[in-house]
Amino acid sequence: TQLLEQSPQFLSIQEGENLTVYCNSSSVFSSLQWYRQEPGEGPVLLVTVVTGGEVKKLKRLTFQFGDARKDSSLHITAAQPGDTGLYLCAGVKPDRGSTLGRLYFGRGTQLTVWP
Amino acid sequence: EAGVVQSPRYKIIEKKQPVAFWCNPISGHNTLYWYLQNLGQGPELLIRYENEEAVDDSQLPKDRFSAERLKGVDSTLKIQPAELGDSAVYLCASSLKLAGGPYTGELFFGEGSRLTVL
């Protein structure tokens, strides 16, 4: 069972369109990260959100952490072909056996932006 | 500064053969992770090291998988014998442990080692 559910699984849009991808869970996370992964590469961190209700903007990307810290969304404005990639959310839960929390990844949203 | 380095990038083997992957983390990063990623899926944790200690190996199939991190720097992940279902990308990541509290630091990933088992 996946702790973090991402939707949609696939998204194919034209350049200039807006889009939102979602990351949902029934669990509470101490923080949540969003990564982007391009083919043949490892994931690269885009943002970390920590506080419930927090909104962070990174140029055309807007990230929001839910008030209850169970969900998050990523909104892209005026998508460009360079935004194409696999978008992964990852939540941190305290790990009883370690001073470090444990990071749980969702399955990702594969975004394709056509010129 | 060099990123996380993994080798080999690609490996094709026949089932029942052994295979090993190597990872050199970012200098100074004390936490190292091995993840498995199937096509179009998110990474799944296999094992996490804090320095040379494996602190989370609950998802590692110990009957055929083994890992080590000698001297708390480089790490090796081994599969013996490989099965068809092991075909995937094996990602190594490292991070710097933050003082106190749950982890909130950034993971830095290598490019991965793509394994194909025939």
Side-chain angles (χ1 to χ4, degrees), chain A residues 49-60:
Chain A
V49 286
V50 180
T51 306
E54 182 177 3
V55 177
K56 280 192 174 179
K57 292 191 174 183
L58 189 68
K59 297 183 179 178
R60 293 176 295 102

Side-chain angles (χ1 to χ4, degrees), chain B residues 57-108:
Chain B
D57 63 354
S58 58
Q59 302 302 311
L60 188 72
K62 298 181 182 66
D63 56 336
R64 298 184 299 107
F65 287 65
S66 64
E68 60 182 9
R69 190 183 185 197
L70 300 176
K71 300 181 181 179
V73 181
D74 294 1
S75 178
T76 303
L77 177 70
K78 297 179 181 178
I79 309 173
Q80 182 171 11
E83 297 179 353
L84 295 176
D86 296 331
S87 296
V89 175
Y90 291 84
L91 291 165
C92 178
S94 69
S95 68
L96 189 61
K97 177 181 174 181
L98 303 178
Y103 157 89
T104 57
E106 175 180 0
L107 264 63
F108 293 83

